Amino acid sequence: MSDSHLKTRGRLTTTIDNEILAGLKKLTAETQVPITRLLDEAILDLLVKYDRWNGPVPGRKRLMGVVSAYSGGDTGDDTRRAAAKGGQSPLEKR
């Protein structure tokens, strides 16, 4: 199948832990934020946390406009970077 219609997105296929998937589905149902946007935010947080993202965040207004309505938090890059670096990943707790 061709992805030529995807102008600003790339396709990613993966598997995740069943409990994490259940939590993600619950979050998307409660917030009405599509899973793809939640994954965009989560992956961006990881890139920032591990200093692999230094430029402006693409689609910040589009991505965070929906997510911030649920989280109630500041959507500024500095706040995101500080939170990402200070927090412990659920994977690190295992």
Side-chain angles (χ1 to χ4, degrees), residues 76-92:
D77 287 344
D78 292 338
T79 302
R80 180 183 256 346
R81 280 179 169 50
K85 288 184 180 183
Q88 186 179 27
S89 164
L91 298 177
E92 294 174 30

Side-chain angles (χ1 to χ4, degrees), residues 34-76:
I35 287 178
T36 55
R37 293 225 176 118
L38 294 173
L39 290 174
D40 282 348
E41 181 183 8
I43 292 168
L44 180 60
D45 284 347
L46 283 171
L47 292 172
V48 169
K49 178 180 178 180
Y50 291 103
D51 290 325
R52 299 298 189 263
W53 190 269
N54 296 315
V57 178
R60 163 66 72 198
K61 289 180 182 176
R62 177 183 54 79
L63 172 66
M64 295 309 299
V66 175
V67 176
S68 66
Y70 173 73
S71 66
D74 182 354
T75 60

Side-chain angles (χ1 to χ4, degrees), residues 1-11:
M1 180 162 99
S2 173
D3 289 335
S4 62
H5 65 284
L6 298 175
K7 305 247 186 259
T8 61
R9 314 234 1 123
R11 186 169 303 277

Side-chain angles (χ1 to χ4, degrees), residues 12-43:
L12 172 69
T13 303
T14 189
T15 61
I16 63 173
D17 180 274
N18 287 330
E19 290 180 25
I20 295 171
L21 180 58
L24 183 60
K25 286 181 177 182
K26 183 177 179 183
L27 180 61
T28 197
E30 291 172 358
T31 63
Q32 297 298 302
V33 176
I35 287 178
T36 55
R37 293 225 176 118
L38 294 173
L39 290 174
D40 282 348
E41 181 183 8
I43 292 168

